[in-house]
Amino acid sequence: LATGPRQSDGTFYEIRTYDIKPAKMKEFVEVVNKYFHFRTAHSELVGFWYSELGAMNKVLHIWKYDNFAHRTAVRHALANDKDWQGKFISAALPLMEKQHNEVAYLVPWCQLGKPPKEGGVYEWVTFQMKPGGPALWGEAFRAAINAHINAGYTRLIGVFHTEYGLLNTVHVLWWNESLDHRAAGRHSAHEDARVVAAVRNSVRFLESQQNVLLIPLQCSPLK
């Protein structure tokens, strides 16, 4: 099935989601805050968050790689990093229930953004689209994203399309000043005929959607 164009360079993003044991989130965050500098010494961290609404006891972090050879070299270095293995991994693994990773590219029409200031909240929206890739639904999906941007209440950080993991999945990362600001903006968007029309056109290709509110950890470059 055709997937359509993507960015011409080899840069990709690994999205890692960990399920943390109930009642162990505080301990896990403490381990991250204490030892995670051993990990970020090896490659670029885009952001690290824990879930607040829409999912429970989850953390999500995104890593940037130049290409697959770069990731292979990083993973090899981590396997041989005694501080990373002995201090973080040994302490963190007993606190986890499950790990999941995906490889994704930014869609060709999106550059990775940053919020205008620190603070605020992030929203991670996962769309499961119909098989066929951006060649099928890309134009309509982009129009729906742009309609929300043009409504002016939210800031787009990135749109990621999976290459490994569950295919035809698109993750959209948004930033809002606050939950109440987001709620008010969503209410206005629902009454905006341009947003409604764009969304109606896009959902023809949609199979499911999940929204998760994310709070950045201390180590997260995106705060």
Side-chain angles (χ1 to χ4, degrees):
L1 295 175
T3 58
R6 66 174 184 234
Q7 290 186 342
S8 58
D9 64 25
T11 301
F12 66 85
Y13 299 83
E14 183 173 5
I15 302 163
R16 287 183 162 249
T17 306
Y18 299 165
D19 287 16
I20 308 304
K21 292 179 179 179
K24 293 295 184 179
M25 180 64 76
K26 183 174 183 290
E27 185 177 349
F28 180 84
V29 170
E30 290 173 351
V31 171
V32 170
N33 289 338
K34 187 174 182 179
Y35 296 122
F36 213 65
H37 62 282
F38 294 125
R39 176 60 185 86
T40 54
H42 289 276
S43 65
E44 181 179 348
L45 175 67
V46 174
F48 198 136
W49 303 265
Y50 68 86
S51 61
E52 179 71 12
L53 295 173
M56 296 182 69
N57 302 306
K58 288 183 181 289
V59 297
L60 182 147
H61 39 125
I62 303 174
W63 299 90
K64 182 180 179 181
Y65 293 103
D66 298 334
N67 48 47
F68 286 97
H70 179 207
R71 181 185 183 275
T72 298
V74 169
R75 299 304 298 176
H76 178 76
L78 288 170
N80 291 282
D81 186 325
K82 293 181 180 179
D83 285 328
W84 173 246
Q85 296 293 333
K87 295 178 180 179
F88 180 83
I89 295 296
S90 62
L93 281 182
L95 308 177
M96 301 180 192
E97 288 196 324
K98 186 168 33 175
Q99 294 175 287
H100 176 71
N101 75 330
E102 299 169 288
V103 166
Y105 293 91
L106 284 171
V107 295
W109 44 268
C110 173
Q111 298 291 324
L112 192 64
K114 292 183 177 180
K117 59 183 179 181
E118 289 190 1
V121 294
Y122 291 82
E123 186 174 7
W124 182 254
V125 188
T126 299
F127 299 91
Q128 187 59 41
M129 309 301 291
K130 293 184 183 297
L136 174 67
W137 42 257
E139 183 177 342
F141 189 86
R142 180 179 184 180
I145 293 296
N146 285 335
H148 283 86
I149 295 172
N150 295 336
Y153 73 92
T154 189
R155 174 69 66 98
L156 179 66
I157 303 299
V159 181
F160 304 88
H161 175 223
T162 57
E163 182 80 2
Y164 288 96
L166 186 60
L167 296 183
N168 296 294
T169 301
V170 182
H171 300 291
V172 183
L173 182 61
W174 300 97
W175 178 89
N176 291 280
E177 289 186 13
S178 68
L179 267 176
D180 287 323
H181 183 262
R182 185 259 187 198
R186 292 283 290 176
H187 181 77
S188 298
H190 290 161
E191 297 180 347
D192 187 322
R194 296 166 298 178
V195 175
V196 171
V199 170
R200 282 179 176 170
N201 189 42
S202 179
V203 296
R204 295 181 295 130
F205 307 107
L206 180 65
E207 294 193 339
S208 66
Q209 176 181 339
Q210 182 181 18
N211 295 29
V212 179
L213 175 70
L214 298 174
I215 306 298
L217 272 68
Q218 178 180 308
C219 66
S220 180
L222 287 176
K223 294 196 188 320

